[in-house]
Amino acid sequence: MVTTNDTARSDVPKPTVRPVNPRFSSGPCAKPPSFTLESLADAPLGRSHRAGVGKAKLAEAIDLTRDILGVPDNYRIGIVPASDTGAFEMAMWSLLGARPAEMVAWESFGAGWVTDVVKQLKIDAQVHTADYGQIVDMTALNYDNDVCFTWNGTTSGVRMPNGDMIPADRAGLTLCDATSAAFAQDLPWDRLDVTTFSWQKVMGGEAAHGMLILSPRAVERLESYIPAWPMPKIFRLTKGGKLIEGIFRGETINTPSMLAVEDYLHALKWGQTVGGLTGLQARADANAQMIFDFCDANNWIANLAEDPATRSNTSVCLKFTDDRITDGAAFAKAVAKRLESEDVALDIGAYRDAPAGLRIWCGATVETADIKAMLPWLAWAFHTEIKT
Ligand SMILES: Cc1ncc(COP(=O)(O)O)c(C=O)c1O
């Protein structure tokens, strides 16, 4: 526990105002501000998900997702098992192998997909990587191949600035892990053949299920190509060479959690009350901007993203730049611990594989007032720690 002696050690006085909600984790992320356990009262618990009431809830989750994200009518949206990982793995294992692949990674999760394709599926692949803080030149890829990439690198805080580098007219498919981008950043549907995300990120839902969004070209591939490897039931999207359409109406492959579905519905309806996609994006932008301004005003901290156009507005990753710091990892850990023990910022240490620093989630469910209240604490923790 931090004691009042810390104020004496720091030139910066200990702040007095705490964030109302100190949850800045990058996943599971803060629940929507409107959330209480009562919000889940209408969940059809103890009922079959195949009963009318269950099916209606699942279909509503798909419909609201389409409405808010502006997914084109001819794209399929499915609820699948195992969160974003399940959705992205299912897509890679079902679609890849028909053409060579271009695997793109600029942080840990993208690197995980590279491993899958190169070491597990053993597909002929070109691997393109960039260091933490940087992004791969997306214009340098061969879009006649299938391209797998992450829209927002959650562990580096580097995002695609837009989709202009992806040709609308391409022979290969694009598979995009958009889990920390969906609902916070524009996703250009005509450039994306597969898009995946989980409920636990920008909408503050639960992590049980993944969302799989398929373009007509992705469906065409599914119906015309059979991978050389066996496909477990949990990944199977086709039967007899035809798409299993039911999956995209809410007839899930296996049993979903109706409690998690109800929670997602609550989050989506809250999203509508704050202005839908535009409102959700504006909330993330305002949160992130407050941290960008803080970095501009303090010469001891900086955004890990080198190019401002690629700075994430959800997973904002920060590095300490003060020359007096000798052990960066220990220093960042100590600052995060200090903030946690004051109950002003929980779970903000950088991801285990990422450079030492902090990661502050700025997605839509975080209140800007809470970021504002937290930042003076960060300054106080830094100045206190640097003197210890
Ligand atoms: C970019 C990215 N991909 C995949 C995942 C894995 O998501 P999940 O644990 O929901 O499957 C995460 C989780 O943080 C992520 O940030």
Side-chain angles (χ1 to χ4, degrees):
M1 191 67 196
V2 179
T3 69
T4 44
N5 287 341
D6 290 329
T7 299
R9 261 194 256 138
S10 167
D11 301 333
V12 174
K14 191 170 181 175
T16 50
V17 178
R18 287 179 158 73
V20 173
N21 186 354
R23 293 174 183 84
F24 301 108
S25 149
S26 291
C29 303
K31 305 300 282 178
S34 57
F35 177 84
T36 67
L37 283 174
E38 272 307 299
S39 322
L40 308 181
D42 199 38
L45 303 183
R47 294 294 313 277
S48 166
H49 60 295
R50 312 246 184 239
V53 61
K55 272 188 175 163
K57 294 273 184 191
L58 289 156
E60 188 182 9
I62 290 173
D63 292 346
L64 284 177
T65 300
R66 186 184 300 282
D67 283 355
I68 295 177
L69 289 180
V71 177
D73 287 346
N74 61 347
Y75 279 46
R76 306 314 200 274
I77 303 179
I79 297 171
V80 300
S83 210
D84 179 68
T85 309
F88 204 75
E89 295 276 7
M90 171 184 263
M92 288 196 300
W93 287 66
S94 299
L95 292 161
L96 296 183
R99 291 167 179 264
E102 305 269 318
M103 298 302 299
V104 183
W106 53 84
E107 51 81 64
S108 171
F109 285 100
W113 308 141
V114 174
T115 301
D116 250 51
V117 164
V118 174
K119 296 213 169 121
Q120 299 291 326
L121 293 173
K122 300 185 174 29
I123 288 169
D124 174 15
Q126 286 288 327
V127 178
H128 308 261
T129 58
D131 283 342
Y132 280 84
Q134 298 173 359
I135 194 165
V136 167
D137 176 6
M138 297 293 284
T139 61
L141 309 182
N142 178 358
Y143 290 92
D144 285 342
N145 295 339
D146 294 329
V147 176
C148 296
F149 69 106
T150 299
W151 193 275
N152 182 87
T154 321
T155 65
S156 71
V158 171
R159 60 177 275 189
M160 293 274 289
N162 55 56
D164 295 353
M165 302 79 92
I166 304 170
D169 176 18
R170 57 190 178 276
L173 299 178
T174 50
L175 281 67
C176 173
D177 171 359
T179 201
S180 53
F183 299 103
Q185 299 166 15
D186 278 328
L187 296 171
W189 298 109
D190 64 332
R191 313 297 158 111
L192 305 176
D193 294 303
V194 175
T195 308
T196 66
F197 65 89
S198 95
W199 299 344
Q200 54 138 331
K201 297 284 188 198
V202 177
M203 299 311 287
E206 294 301 302
H209 306 296
M211 297 303 274
L212 177 69
I213 303 181
L214 301 178
S215 75
R217 291 180 61 244
V219 173
E220 211 175 283
R221 169 77 64 82
L222 283 170
E223 293 187 334
S224 60
Y225 162 69
I226 301 173
W229 41 84
M231 198 68 72
K233 173 178 172 176
I234 212 85
F235 280 4
R236 258 179 259 151
L237 292 165
T238 58
K239 192 172 178 193
K242 281 287 181 211
L243 188 73
I244 305 173
E245 292 283 1
I247 294 174
F248 303 93
R249 288 192 298 261
E251 293 159 24
T252 49
I253 297 172
N254 66 335
T255 314
S257 157
M258 296 313 295
L259 198 60
V261 172
E262 193 68 23
D263 181 78
Y264 183 49
L265 285 172
H266 173 81
L268 291 167
K269 288 173 189 170
W270 166 79
Q272 289 179 315
T273 68
V274 298
L277 186 58
T278 322
L280 292 163
Q281 290 180 344
R283 287 174 65 90
D285 285 345
N287 289 341
Q289 190 60 50
M290 193 151 274
I291 301 183
F292 301 161
D293 293 346
F294 180 82
C295 290
D296 288 344
N298 291 283
N299 62 4
W300 45 265
I301 193 158
N303 204 301
L304 191 58
E306 290 174 12
D307 175 357
T310 67
R311 288 189 304 211
S312 172
N313 65 349
T314 57
S315 56
V316 176
C317 294
L318 304 172
K319 58 185 177 189
F320 292 105
T321 53
D322 192 294
D323 289 344
R324 290 169 290 177
I325 299 168
T326 49
D327 182 341
F331 186 84
K333 230 180 209 167
V335 168
K337 190 163 167 229
R338 199 171 278 278
L339 294 171
E340 180 152 346
S341 49
E342 289 288 349
D343 204 26
V344 292
L346 307 178
D347 310 319
I348 63 162
Y351 190 71
R352 56 178 184 262
D353 301 338
L358 303 177
R359 181 173 56 157
I360 301 169
W361 184 253
C362 287
T365 55
V366 171
E367 299 277 26
T368 308
D370 286 338
I371 298 273
K372 188 173 178 191
M374 180 272 295
L375 289 171
W377 287 92
L378 173 53
W380 165 81
F382 167 79
H383 288 290
T384 307
E385 204 55 49
I386 202 83
K387 295 206 168 150
T388 56

